Amino acid sequence: MKTLIAANWKMHGDLSWAAKPKAFRDAHGPQNTNVEILICPPAYLIPALVKGSEGQDILIGAQNCHQEQGGAFTGEMSADMVANCGGRYVILGHSERRALFGETDGLVAAKAKSVLASSLVPIICVGESREQREAGDADEVVGAQLKNSIPESADGHKLVIAYEPVWAIGTGLVPTLEDIASMHDHIRGILSARFGENIAQSICILYGGSVKPSNAREILALKDVNGALIGGAGLEMDSLCAIAREAL
Ligand code: PEP
C-alpha cells in the first residue's frame, strides 16, 4: 500500500492557504509515487483546497462530520457534504474531539458508518493518555477504542486507523520506537482477528504525535507503520513534504 502522509490543519488557515499545494509543487516538483499526501483543513476551506490541489497529487479531507446525512443539526456538516465538495477522507475521533467535544467510541462508530456510506474513507483515531500508559493499560485502552469505534457493519475495506497517544500530540514527546512498533503490531493483530489476515494487512495504520522531519524516517520505517497523521508540522507544505520525503 502507499504510505499516507496526512496533515490535520485543525482550526488554522485562511483562504490564501488554498494556494499552498500548487506553490509547493511549482517549487519542488512531483512527489514520490509511493506516497499519498492528504490535507484536512477546516471545513470551510475544503472546496478551495480541492480546487487549489487540482493536478497536484494532493488529496483533501475533513476533520470531522456529523453521523446523520442531513437534517436539523445546526452547525454540522454531513459525510455526503464532505464528498459533495470533493473531500476523500474524514478524520474521526481525534483526541481533541473526544476530550473537548465529548465524542464517545459509539459516536465515532456512527460517524464512521456514515463516512463509509458516502464512499469516503474514515481515519479512526485511537490512543491512550499518559496516565493510562504509565498504568500499563495502553494496549487494553486502545484495543477497546478500536473495537467500539469501528462500526459493526464495517468489513475492513477503505479504513484507516491512526494511533495517536494523547500525551504525544503537540507536546514534542514521542513514544520509543519499540513502543510505537509494539502498539502498531497490537492494532494489526486486533484487525486481523476481526477482519482476517489479508484484509488486516491492507488496512493503513498511521502513527500521530509530534512527527516532524527529523524523526519521520525512523518512525515511518517501522513495520506496521503505514504513514503519519501530522498536526503542527503539517501546517507548512515544506515540512509536510520533508516528512513525505522520509517515507522511502
Ligand atoms: C494531531 O493533532 O493529530 C497531531 C498529531 O499533532 P502534532 O503532530 O502537532 O503532535
Side-chain angles (χ1 to χ4, degrees):
M1 84 182 76
K2 287 190 179 191
T3 300
L4 179 62
I5 301 296
N8 172 9
W9 279 1
K10 307 192 183 187
M11 204 166 73
H12 299 292
D14 59 38
L15 273 172
S16 71
W17 288 34
K20 287 191 178 207
K22 179 158 181 353
F24 179 79
R25 282 279 173 257
D26 287 349
H28 296 272
Q31 70 193 45
N32 178 341
T33 51
N34 293 325
V35 177
E36 200 92 80
I37 294 184
L38 168 70
I39 296 174
C40 298
Y44 88 106
L45 290 179
I46 293 175
L49 258 295
V50 167
K51 197 161 172 24
S53 62
E54 263 169 22
Q56 313 302 325
D57 280 338
I58 291 176
L59 301 173
I60 304 302
Q63 300 170 16
N64 178 38
C65 69
H66 195 269
Q67 64 275 25
E68 299 294 337
Q69 292 293 15
F73 301 104
T74 302
E76 293 289 333
M77 182 168 76
S78 72
D80 271 353
M81 291 170 181
V82 176
N84 187 243
C85 55
R88 303 275 293 278
Y89 289 76
V90 185
I91 298 172
L92 294 174
H94 188 279
S95 67
E96 287 153 16
R97 299 237 29 115
R98 290 177 185 266
L100 304 174
F101 301 97
E103 293 200 0
T104 60
D105 291 337
L107 182 59
V108 174
K111 291 182 176 201
K113 190 173 172 189
S114 194
V115 166
L116 288 164
S118 299
S119 299
L120 302 177
V121 181
I123 300 176
I124 298 179
C125 301
V126 294
E128 81 286 356
S129 66
R130 173 176 281 287
E131 297 72 37
Q132 289 164 331
R133 174 151 290 271
E134 284 172 357
D137 294 338
D139 279 4
E140 194 185 328
V141 167
V142 168
Q145 286 178 333
L146 262 189
K147 177 174 181 291
N148 299 317
S149 300
I150 298 174
E152 276 179 24
S153 54
D155 61 7
H157 291 107
K158 296 188 72 174
L159 190 61
V160 175
I161 304 299
Y163 168 55
E164 298 206 302
V166 179
W167 52 274
I169 294 178
T171 59
L173 301 172
V174 180
T176 63
L177 293 176
E178 291 71 24
D179 283 345
I180 296 174
S182 160
M183 183 59 84
H184 280 242
D185 177 66
H186 176 59
I187 291 171
R188 188 82 70 198
I190 291 171
L191 296 172
S192 182
R194 179 151 170 187
F195 299 116
E197 178 65 17
N198 284 347
I199 290 178
Q201 287 299 338
S202 74
I203 297 176
C204 179
I205 308 177
L206 308 179
Y207 167 76
S210 298
V211 175
K212 38 190 185 288
S214 59
N215 63 16
R217 180 172 299 212
E218 56 190 9
I219 294 173
L220 292 171
L222 293 171
K223 184 174 170 290
D224 291 314
V225 174
N226 308 120
L229 181 54
I230 300 151
L235 294 174
E236 292 304 329
M237 293 304 290
D238 277 344
S239 57
L240 179 64
C241 292
I243 292 170
R245 275 197 297 274
E246 300 297 343
L248 298 174

